[in-house]
Amino acid sequence: MIICRSNNLSSTLISVTLLAIVIVAAVSYASNGLSLLSLPASPLSWRWPSSTLSFPSSNLDHSPPPRLNPKTALYSMFNCDSDSCKKQNGKMNREVNKLIKELKDETMLRRNKKRDKKLEKVEAELAGARVLMRDAATRKHNNSSSSPVDDPDYVPNGNIYRNPFLFHRSYLLMEKLFKVYIYEEGEPPLFHKGPTFDIYSTEGVFLNLIEKDPHFRISDPDRAHVFFLPFSVTMILNYLFDPIIRDKAVLERVIGDYVHIVSSRYPYWNQSLGSNHFMLACHDWGPRASWSVHSLYFTSIRLLCNANTSEYFNPRKDASIPQINLHRDEPTMVPGGLPASNRTILAFFAGNEFHGKIRPLVFQYWKDKDEDILVYDRVPKNVSYHEMMHTSRFCLCPSGYEVASPRIVEAIYAECVPVLISQNYVLPFSDVLNWDAFSVRVPVSEIPNLKRILLGISDDEYTRLHENVKRAQRHFLVNNPAKRYDIYHMILHSLWLRRLNLNIYG
């Protein structure tokens, strides 16, 4: 069954969601404190504390939750005051302003909404997990590099974690408690299937593994903590998008219809208007796909490779996932590379020069300009791309049209220290991993000084970075069947953290 509705019905659905999204605000606002649905004041206002594992939630802090300010818009993050912002996002801002206007009156009307007993039980279970996490965060071995819990698979060496013990406690709680319900509606290839080769492979890897996972997948939706909407943005575009007509509304029709069906057949979407539902997409149009249903965009959990805060990615409820590129002739990426002392190339990059705004600057300053920094638009015939990564000290990872790049994971596999050159990018698993321990960040403005920056890293510091890259590898490995702490389980853990951050009943 390929789910598709007419344009008129799709427009009607979007109008309905604009009104319905207010309901979920009321559910959340029913408490005195703000919940996940109260977004930060700006995309950059969220900061990860360095001393603890940074759960994106005021619910996990010990400070009192902020009181409701009637002058503060629920979706203030999506407002912008500058002329350039208004010009760029005019349509979205108009829609958001409508929601804000409706919010105040509707919130007061819905404060006494009757609670669902089964959902209350699920929320109580999560509340218990939050208490355990608070305890873990305050224990004296909080910042220890080891865990007192016996777990042969967990080896938190080095400082690649923000808080090793707290991450371990959270991970074990996830394994014990976390349950995912997958809607069975929809047929492949648009649903329940994703690409397993190319730069969007993360979609297929996750879909394939979660569908056959007997541990995290649950058949009883009343016991589920989250609900998966198993559509594939990549497959929808591959099969339904006409490159000549270029009707981008195909995403709105398919995804809007799917949400309509599951929200009509089941009560779970309407209990919180999708805030405990999630989608996953690595296609560039993943954020656009979620905008087709406004409640999916504003309240649902979005697992995105394109984690761009300038495009309203919100780390408080959304999670950044790695972009991986699996090739048909290389169905798995094998980690490994030369020791740090044997890497003779300072830095390496190969890719399309005219892909976005950052790469042209890399080419302008470094292509054919220096024998230590090798920049190619195409790798020479007598040069192996992977061999270059295996023999380079640093691998340049500039953003293209979108912030994410599969080169980051490729560099980690090759044990080549990633040099991250991007803007507004929330790095994958950054609520757990300390990226500064195994990568180098270079602002776009410092591209002309790239060589000076890299040469300024001492041999001892580079050795530390290189060793930490090898330690971080396990969290980016693609395994079939999946193994604990690999990329699949790290994606699930990111989802688990966002669900902990959501308190539906306040």
Side-chain angles (χ1 to χ4, degrees):
M1 174 181 64
I2 294 180
I3 301 177
C4 192
R5 295 172 68 87
S6 68
N7 286 327
N8 289 337
L9 287 177
S10 177
S11 299
T12 301
L13 175 60
I14 293 176
S15 299
V16 170
T17 59
L18 283 173
L19 176 61
I21 194 171
V22 179
I23 298 174
V24 70
V27 174
S28 176
Y29 262 36
S31 66
N32 288 330
L34 302 178
S35 73
L36 166 121
L37 301 182
S38 304
L39 306 181
S42 72
L44 300 179
S45 66
W46 192 256
R47 293 291 183 268
W48 308 116
S50 59
S51 60
T52 63
L53 175 63
S54 311
F55 289 97
S57 171
S58 59
N59 291 326
L60 294 177
D61 294 338
H62 292 283
S63 57
R67 294 293 178 179
L68 175 62
N69 180 354
K71 296 182 180 180
T72 302
L74 180 65
Y75 303 109
S76 58
M77 174 182 175
F78 301 96
N79 280 335
C80 55
D81 298 324
S82 67
D83 291 338
S84 59
C85 181
K86 292 178 180 178
K87 182 177 181 181
Q88 180 180 359
N89 303 295
K91 180 179 179 181
M92 182 178 294
N93 290 330
R94 287 194 295 273
E95 296 292 350
V96 172
N97 287 334
K98 291 180 183 178
L99 296 177
I100 294 171
K101 185 176 184 298
E102 295 171 353
L103 174 64
K104 184 176 179 180
D105 295 337
E106 291 292 332
T107 297
M108 301 304 297
L109 291 174
R110 303 291 298 182
R111 281 189 182 275
N112 297 322
K113 180 178 174 61
K114 185 178 180 180
R115 297 188 177 191
D116 182 272
K117 296 296 184 182
K118 294 177 181 177
L119 181 56
E120 277 191 326
K121 186 175 181 180
V122 171
E123 288 297 310
E125 189 175 51
L126 291 170
R130 294 186 191 105
V131 171
L132 293 174
M133 294 308 303
R134 291 191 188 99
D135 175 67
T138 56
R139 297 183 61 168
K140 62 181 180 180
H141 46 256
N142 180 14
N143 292 316
S144 172
S145 62
S146 62
S147 173
V149 183
D150 184 22
D151 183 354
D153 292 331
Y154 188 65
V155 188
N157 294 326
N159 59 343
I160 67 168
Y161 303 102
R162 293 185 176 277
N163 185 313
F165 174 65
L166 191 54
F167 167 47
H168 194 203
R169 173 61 65 88
S170 176
Y171 187 94
L172 294 179
L173 282 171
M174 176 192 76
E175 286 188 321
K176 181 180 179 180
L177 300 174
F178 199 37
K179 297 302 177 185
V180 179
Y181 181 79
I182 305 174
Y183 287 111
E184 297 183 359
E185 282 71 15
E187 295 181 0
L190 306 188
F191 304 88
H192 306 282
K193 185 177 180 180
T196 51
F197 303 105
D198 70 28
I199 61 174
Y200 306 130
S201 298
T202 306
E203 282 189 23
V205 168
F206 184 84
L207 275 163
N208 292 342
L209 291 174
I210 191 66
E211 292 253 329
K212 59 185 180 183
D213 190 330
H215 182 80
F216 290 102
R217 183 177 183 180
I218 192 171
S219 58
D220 181 4
D222 288 327
R223 295 171 52 211
H225 300 102
V226 292
F227 297 79
F228 185 28
L229 303 168
F231 58 80
S232 168
V233 173
T234 303
M235 301 302 269
I236 292 172
L237 293 172
N238 283 351
Y239 283 88
L240 299 183
F241 182 71
D242 190 315
I244 298 177
I245 300 176
R246 299 190 64 80
D247 178 18
K248 297 178 182 178
V250 64
L251 286 171
E252 297 180 8
R253 292 192 291 271
V254 176
I255 297 174
D257 188 58
Y258 193 76
V259 172
H260 173 76
I261 287 177
V262 299
S263 62
S264 299
R265 292 181 180 178
Y266 306 95
Y268 310 106
W269 175 275
N270 297 319
Q271 286 174 343
S272 66
L273 201 64
S275 61
N276 56 356
H277 288 55
F278 75 97
M279 58 164 283
L280 181 145
C282 258
H283 196 280
D284 297 351
W285 288 0
R288 179 189 181 91
S290 61
W291 173 251
S292 61
V293 179
H294 290 180
S295 49
L296 180 63
Y297 192 99
F298 288 115
T299 65
S300 297
I301 302 168
R302 301 181 302 164
L303 307 180
L304 300 175
C305 289
N306 184 23
N308 188 342
T309 57
S310 72
E311 296 178 2
Y312 308 114
F313 178 90
N314 176 16
R316 196 170 185 176
K317 73 173 188 66
D318 302 326
S320 175
I321 59 176
Q323 186 171 35
I324 56 176
N325 186 8
L326 297 179
H327 302 279
R328 293 185 180 276
D329 54 344
E330 300 175 13
T332 58
M333 291 190 292
V334 180
L338 293 180
S341 59
N342 293 348
R343 291 178 175 256
T344 57
I345 301 169
L346 178 62
F348 165 73
F349 173 77
N352 188 333
E353 175 180 357
F354 304 103
H355 199 271
K357 298 180 179 179
I358 295 177
R359 289 192 195 175
L361 295 175
V362 174
F363 278 81
Q364 175 187 339
Y365 287 99
W366 297 108
K367 185 177 185 295
D368 300 327
K369 301 291 176 60
D370 193 285
E371 60 182 10
D372 294 323
I373 297 181
L374 303 181
V375 174
Y376 301 103
D377 52 357
R378 288 192 185 195
V379 177
K381 291 183 179 179
N382 61 339
V383 176
S384 166
Y385 176 83
H386 292 293
E387 184 176 339
M388 291 291 288
M389 297 192 86
H390 282 78
T391 57
S392 297
R393 291 168 65 86
F394 299 96
C395 288
L396 307 185
C397 303
S399 294
Y401 286 119
E402 304 298 342
V403 292
S405 170
R407 286 169 181 78
I408 297 176
V409 175
E410 290 174 347
I412 293 173
Y413 271 61
E415 298 172 5
C416 180
V417 177
V419 178
L420 310 172
I421 311 174
S422 63
Q423 292 176 315
N424 308 311
Y425 183 31
V426 177
L427 290 162
F429 313 142
S430 53
D431 39 10
V432 168
L433 297 179
N434 174 21
W435 278 84
D436 291 335
F438 58 93
S439 67
V440 177
R441 305 195 206 198
V442 175
V444 174
S445 61
E446 291 295 313
I447 290 176
N449 301 318
L450 183 59
K451 184 173 183 178
R452 178 181 60 79
I453 293 172
L454 298 182
L455 289 177
I457 297 174
S458 67
D459 288 341
D460 289 344
E461 176 67 8
Y462 177 78
T463 300
R464 183 189 66 82
L465 290 168
H466 181 258
E467 289 300 315
N468 283 340
V469 168
K470 293 193 290 185
R471 294 186 179 105
Q473 272 180 353
R474 66 181 309 184
H475 299 309
F476 297 88
L477 291 179
V478 177
N479 299 304
N480 191 7
K483 298 179 181 180
R484 300 177 74 208
Y485 301 103
D486 66 4
I487 190 172
Y488 167 71
H489 288 94
M490 290 297 286
I491 291 174
L492 280 174
H493 185 259
S494 294
L495 179 63
W496 161 251
L497 292 185
R498 271 67 190 174
R499 185 58 180 93
L500 280 178
N501 187 45
L502 170 66
N503 191 347
I504 292 177
Y505 286 137

